Structure formats: C-alpha cells, structure tokens
Amino acid sequence: LGGIGHIFPGSIATRFMPCGKPYCGCATDSSKRHGPYYEWTRKLAGKTVSKRLTAEQARLYKGWIGNRRQLKKILTRMQAVSIQIAEAQMAVPRQ
C-alpha cells in the first residue's frame, strides 16, 4: 500500500468549448471548437467542484485518480477476507 502514491477523488474531463465570439468558426461548427481543455471534477462538502488543468496536470491527476480506484479495490478485497477470517474464527468453539 505504501507504494501506491497520491490518491485523488473525482474524474478528468476533456472538453472542447466555443469561445463566445459570434463570428468565430466555433460558434456555428462544433468541430472547430477550442481546446482541448482539461477539468478535474469532484465532490467537496456535498457540492460539485471543478478545476481547470494543464495537459500535464491532467495526465498526473488521471494517474492519481487511478491510484484511488486501485486502493478502493484493495480495501474491498481486504474487507471481504477479514470477514471470512472472522466468521471462521467465530465458528470455532473456544476451549
């Protein structure tokens, strides 16, 4: 577990956005939108919070989000094994 690295909640979205200028090509053609822009989105105190990231930050955050998912799988497995062991121990009569 010590080598898992940073763990981050949330997800990374890649977006292509119109700039808002009425005469820009992106206003009428969705294939000409600007980007990619990267956003990290997560829940914070019950509210959805997003933060714009650089391409390098997005690459790092994706890895850290993956680490969190890996950690959750490990913990779920550890919990299941612990329950099995505890139930087996409880089934053995004490002397």
Side-chain angles (χ1 to χ4, degrees), residues 10-32:
S11 61
I12 302 295
T14 304
R15 307 181 107 199
F16 292 85
M17 310 283 287
C19 65
K21 296 177 185 173
Y23 298 107
C24 183
C26 70
T28 57
D29 186 351
S30 62
S31 70
K32 293 184 179 178

Side-chain angles (χ1 to χ4, degrees), residues 9-86:
S11 61
I12 302 295
T14 304
R15 307 181 107 199
F16 292 85
M17 310 283 287
C19 65
K21 296 177 185 173
Y23 298 107
C24 183
C26 70
T28 57
D29 186 351
S30 62
S31 70
K32 293 184 179 178
R33 292 192 173 165
H34 304 277
Y37 299 106
Y38 303 96
E39 288 185 350
W40 171 42
T41 303
R42 69 198 186 284
K43 289 284 190 179
L44 187 62
K47 301 207 182 240
T48 302
V49 178
S50 294
K51 176 182 176 181
R52 179 92 32 111
L53 305 173
T54 65
E56 176 61 15
Q57 288 171 325
R59 185 187 68 76
L60 290 170
Y61 280 48
K62 282 179 184 178
W64 299 337
I65 291 167
N67 290 347
R68 182 173 186 265
R69 290 182 181 138
Q70 181 183 0
L71 179 61
K72 286 178 78 173
K73 285 180 184 178
I74 292 168
L75 290 175
T76 298
R77 181 67 184 134
M78 287 176 70
Q79 181 177 332
V81 169
S82 293
I83 290 169
Q84 289 174 347
I85 292 169

